[in-house]
């Protein structure tokens, strides 16, 4: 029986080495191509900065808004979506969640469609200031947001 050659004895090791080299040849250029994300402070929009500036005034109070995800991400206040079905639905949310502020955003007007803004628009623009047993008092207005304090009548 002939003895095995060195090449035959090392075939598994060579196969593993070849696989490692091929993997490295693919991964290294890919990893060199990737770039890290920029810090979030650089990516913050004017809209987000305005919300962050409102944080001291809100002071962790419950908020009803047309953009709860943005309020939650940029302030310390919990937020709930302001319903657009009816005034009664809005009044129920203000009562149930003990809402102290209502924030209307200007940047997402197209996203909700005309039906939602037909309900929210008069409140955002200050033409209607009562929602059931609640009155809205303008607390702040900026380029991208309008803030109302909720007063229980």
């Amino acid at each position: 029986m002939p003895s095995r050659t060195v090449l035959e004895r090392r075939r598994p090791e060579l196969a593993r080495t070849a696989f490692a080299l091929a993997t490295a040849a693919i991964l290294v250029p890919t990893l060199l191509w990737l770039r890290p994300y920029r810090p979030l402070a650089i990516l913050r929009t004017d809209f987000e900065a305005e919300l962050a500036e409102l944080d001291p005034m809100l002071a962790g109070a419950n908020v009803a808004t047309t953009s709860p995800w943005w309020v939650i991400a940029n302030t310390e206040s919990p937020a709930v979506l302001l319903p657009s079905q009816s005034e009664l639905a809005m009044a129920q949310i203000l009562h149930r969640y003990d809402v102290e502020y209502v924030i209307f955003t200007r940047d997402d007007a197209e996203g909700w469609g005309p039906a939602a803004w037909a309900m929210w628009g008069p409140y955002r623009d200050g033409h209607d200031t009562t929602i059931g047993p609640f009155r809205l008092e303008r607390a702040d207005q900026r380029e991208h947001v309008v803030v109302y304090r909720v007063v229980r009548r």
Side-chain angles (χ1 to χ4, degrees):
M1 176 170 201
S3 69
R4 294 184 344 170
T5 66
V6 174
L7 183 59
E8 289 174 332
R9 286 193 304 262
R10 298 209 175 236
R11 185 172 291 161
E13 292 173 27
L14 291 172
R16 284 193 295 272
T17 303
F19 178 76
L21 289 172
T23 303
I26 293 169
L27 286 180
V28 169
T30 302
L31 293 175
L32 291 175
W33 175 78
L34 294 175
R35 298 285 179 249
Y37 287 113
R38 294 181 291 165
L40 289 179
I42 295 173
L43 298 175
R44 181 168 271 181
T45 64
D46 291 342
F47 167 60
E48 292 173 289
E50 284 181 11
L51 287 172
E53 290 167 6
L54 293 172
D55 198 35
M57 179 184 70
L58 298 175
N62 294 344
V63 173
T65 178
T66 54
S67 295
W69 41 90
W70 291 109
V71 172
I72 292 167
N74 293 286
T75 72
E76 296 296 321
S77 292
V80 63
L81 178 63
L82 190 64
S84 61
Q85 292 80 5
S86 67
E87 181 181 327
L88 176 61
M90 289 192 290
Q92 289 173 336
I93 291 297
L94 297 180
H95 173 72
R96 176 176 289 164
Y97 296 104
D98 196 27
V99 171
E100 295 182 45
Y101 290 94
V102 174
I103 299 177
F104 293 101
T105 60
R106 298 178 189 269
D107 288 6
D108 59 1
E110 297 84 27
W112 289 110
W117 284 105
M119 175 59 67
W120 293 331
Y123 297 102
R124 179 195 61 196
D125 300 335
H127 302 303
D128 195 349
T129 59
T130 59
I131 300 175
F134 302 97
R135 188 177 78 247
L136 301 179
E137 292 180 351
R138 189 166 295 205
D140 202 334
Q141 181 171 348
R142 311 230 173 168
E143 182 180 352
H144 302 280
V145 297
V146 180
V147 183
Y148 290 92
R149 184 173 290 107
V150 177
V151 178
R152 284 137 182 88
R153 301 190 288 162

